[in-house]
Amino acid sequence: MTHSELKELLSRFSDFAILVVGDFFLDRYLMVDPDLAEISLETGLEARQVVDVRNRPGAAGTVTSNLNALGVGRIHALGAIGDDGQGYDLKAGLHGSGVDTRDLMEVSGRVTPTYTKPVLSATGKEMERLDIKNRSPLPRHVEDRILAALESLLGEVHGVIVLDQVQEPNCGVITDRVRDGIARLATEYPHVFFLADSRSHIGLFRNVTIKVNREEAFEAVSRYSGTEGTASLSRAIRSMVRRTGRPVYVTLGPDGILCDDGEATHHVPGIPVPDPIDIVGAGDSVSAGIVSALCASASYVDAARVGVLVSSITIQQIGTTGTASPEQVLQRFEESWQDS
């Protein structure tokens, strides 16, 4: 891929619509100034003083933020959140990044999943996180609404990114029923690019391209293919390709990305960047880059190259959800790969 080819590819992102379906979280950053700490008169414990609150869309919202930064023309959010203050703040953040939230359903009795992240204001160092999640199964009537909305939107979009963030089975948006529906719809709409990313259940997806990290690849093959102790990453990748019937991307951290397009496994090397780095959300930025590129007719390998470029930029943004613009992607290409 040359500089001019990358520039042309990025310029086409505005022509496409991408749907992100799954678990939308609110990332709430509490900026704490330790110099202002007080001691509670009631408990005798330290009362940490918050001097700023920054709300950002997280999990699937990190994907939509990256799609927006890359200049994707239309971005749709499909999921289920609570009818609560965290949901209000989440929707405000999504609207601010150009996301259509008409299909982000507010469900009575559910909470909006929230990662509360205290951060030392002087250093940007994150302290112990506080999590709010739903720990009961998604109601069947909500599953029905998710599947109906998904099928309705497939006539309007060019790509779908599935983000399965919740580890507890069936407690997030991507339940067993929703996953089965995605597998069915992916075969019925072959012109739409489907990519799935899952923290704990990637081995259950069918008929879609999947993106995993190295550890997730081994775990998925061990759990679902009965090949515990698989010694070769290439064997694990081939097993996943056979299982999904679609290409597979494996992120390798600083070593880049492996892409198996069904015919061969290709390695796209990583781009070294200096410390400090923050890898939170890096995988989500890879997903956004890959699917945007595939919608613009990139090869599977060139889409991986875009993913590497984007993530090399986002990990350099500390204490926030990193994103990358087309201009930054082109500059990073010039700095790193222009002569390669």
Side-chain angles (χ1 to χ4, degrees):
M1 181 168 58
T2 65
H3 181 275
S4 61
E5 290 170 340
L6 176 60
K7 185 176 182 179
E8 171 63 20
L9 185 72
L10 294 167
S11 73
R12 295 201 297 271
F13 285 5
S14 61
D15 296 334
F16 301 105
I18 295 177
L19 166 65
V20 181
V21 54
D23 300 308
F24 285 83
F25 277 54
L26 175 68
D27 282 348
R28 175 162 286 165
Y29 295 89
L30 305 180
M31 310 307 293
V32 176
D33 187 341
D35 293 335
L36 299 178
E38 301 175 358
I39 300 299
S40 168
L41 295 177
E42 293 78 12
T43 66
L45 300 175
E46 180 179 307
R48 294 174 176 173
Q49 300 302 299
V50 176
V51 295
D52 190 21
V53 178
R54 303 174 185 172
N55 293 318
R56 301 285 188 273
T62 305
V63 180
T64 60
S65 294
N66 275 276
L67 292 172
N68 176 68
L70 286 169
V72 171
R74 287 169 289 145
I75 307 164
H76 297 268
L78 173 57
I81 61 174
D83 182 11
D84 51 26
Q86 290 93 337
Y88 177 89
D89 289 335
L90 172 56
K91 279 195 167 183
L94 291 169
H95 292 156
S97 57
V99 179
D100 186 335
T101 64
R102 284 176 292 180
D103 294 292
L104 189 58
M105 306 166 190
E106 296 179 0
V107 180
S108 177
R110 306 287 284 180
V111 298
T112 300
T114 302
Y115 290 146
T116 302
K117 306 178 179 184
V119 177
L120 293 175
S121 58
T123 64
K125 182 179 180 180
E126 188 175 320
M127 296 182 283
E128 293 87 352
R129 197 177 72 194
L130 304 173
D131 291 354
I132 300 172
K133 293 193 294 184
N134 293 288
R135 302 182 187 278
S136 59
L138 190 72
R140 189 177 182 87
H141 71 90
V142 181
E143 291 178 316
D144 292 338
R145 291 174 61 192
I146 294 289
L147 289 169
L150 173 59
E151 186 161 12
S152 176
L153 286 164
L154 287 178
E156 304 177 24
V157 302
H158 304 87
V160 175
I161 299 174
V162 182
L163 197 287
D164 178 21
Q165 180 81 2
V166 177
Q167 295 169 280
E168 293 80 3
N170 295 314
C171 292
V173 170
I174 309 301
T175 63
D176 292 339
R177 284 189 68 224
V178 171
R179 192 182 300 105
D180 288 344
I182 290 169
R184 172 180 59 83
L185 291 168
T187 62
E188 294 177 4
Y189 290 81
H191 60 285
V192 178
F193 288 100
F194 280 78
L195 181 140
D197 185 7
S198 175
R199 177 158 292 190
S200 300
H201 312 114
I202 197 66
L204 297 176
F205 284 88
R206 300 289 185 279
N207 306 332
V208 299
T209 294
I210 62 174
K211 192 217 74 183
V212 297
N213 63 34
R214 193 192 319 251
E215 292 73 22
E216 290 166 346
F218 283 119
E219 181 180 354
V221 171
S222 173
R223 181 183 302 179
Y224 301 111
S225 299
T227 55
E228 187 172 358
T230 298
S232 167
L233 181 57
S234 62
R235 285 176 56 197
I237 294 171
R238 296 306 302 169
S239 176
M240 289 187 291
V241 170
R242 290 192 299 269
R243 193 169 180 81
T244 63
R246 296 290 190 276
V248 169
Y249 291 94
V250 180
T251 59
L252 307 173
D255 295 325
I257 294 177
L258 289 176
C259 167
D260 193 305
D261 58 10
E263 297 181 359
T265 301
H266 311 270
H267 178 227
V268 177
I271 297 174
V273 297
D275 289 331
I277 63 170
D278 183 351
I279 64 171
V280 174
D284 298 323
S285 67
V286 169
S287 297
I290 286 173
V291 174
S292 300
L294 290 174
C295 289
S297 300
S299 69
Y300 283 102
V301 178
D302 278 346
R305 292 188 175 103
V306 173
V308 166
L309 288 163
V310 170
S311 62
S312 76
I313 297 164
T314 62
I315 63 174
Q316 292 187 288
Q317 297 163 47
I318 309 300
T320 188
T321 301
T323 60
S325 68
E327 293 76 19
Q328 289 173 306
V329 172
L330 283 168
Q331 181 179 350
R332 181 54 50 87
F333 179 89
E334 293 169 359
E335 295 169 348
S336 306
W337 286 348
Q338 181 71 58
D339 298 322
S340 61

